[in-house]
Amino acid sequence: MALEVRRVISDAHEQAILCVAYNPGRKEIFTGSQDTTIKAWQAETGELLRTMQDHAGWVTGLSFAAELRVLFSCSIDGRIVVWSLKGDVVQRERTGGKE
């Protein structure tokens, strides 16, 4: 299966994007960055929907759980954060990493 580039957003984050996740139900793309933020984008238009910030370090992983309707993020700050579809923090867990 070939992938097709539909849109390029050159100024999506202030620093490099390290991870992405996709919510097929709402057709949203999530990007996590070295700038410590997570951004939600409308997949078809590229419109920025919201910016989420709770990590103190690079966001290194994202996973969308469709069954739970939440986004999980992890960071070099040693925390896993669970986000609602509105971008609110549902839960934080410390796993290690730098203080």
Side-chain angles (χ1 to χ4, degrees):
M1 177 172 93
L3 295 177
E4 175 185 340
V5 175
R6 293 185 146 201
R7 184 165 320 280
V8 175
I9 303 170
S10 59
D11 58 348
H13 283 270
E14 292 179 15
Q15 295 182 21
I17 294 172
L18 301 177
C19 51
V20 297
Y22 182 64
N23 174 353
R26 292 174 56 164
K27 295 185 175 149
E28 293 176 334
I29 297 171
F30 301 97
T31 55
S33 173
Q34 287 180 350
D35 66 11
T36 75
T37 66
I38 299 163
K39 294 189 178 186
W41 308 87
Q42 209 292 319
E44 294 182 5
T45 65
E47 174 190 0
L48 176 62
L49 301 173
R50 62 194 160 282
T51 299
M52 300 171 279
Q53 188 163 14
D54 193 65
H55 286 291
W58 295 359
V59 179
T60 56
L62 294 171
S63 181
F64 182 75
E67 309 80 32
L68 302 174
R69 299 180 56 165
V70 296
L71 176 72
F72 292 90
S73 63
C74 62
S75 167
I76 64 170
D77 66 8
R79 291 187 304 140
I80 296 171
V81 179
V82 183
W83 304 87
S84 73
L85 292 179
K86 294 180 180 179
D88 298 320
V89 173
V90 175
Q91 185 174 348
R92 296 177 188 92
E93 292 294 329
R94 176 157 289 289
T95 62
K98 70 178 187 176
E99 291 293 325

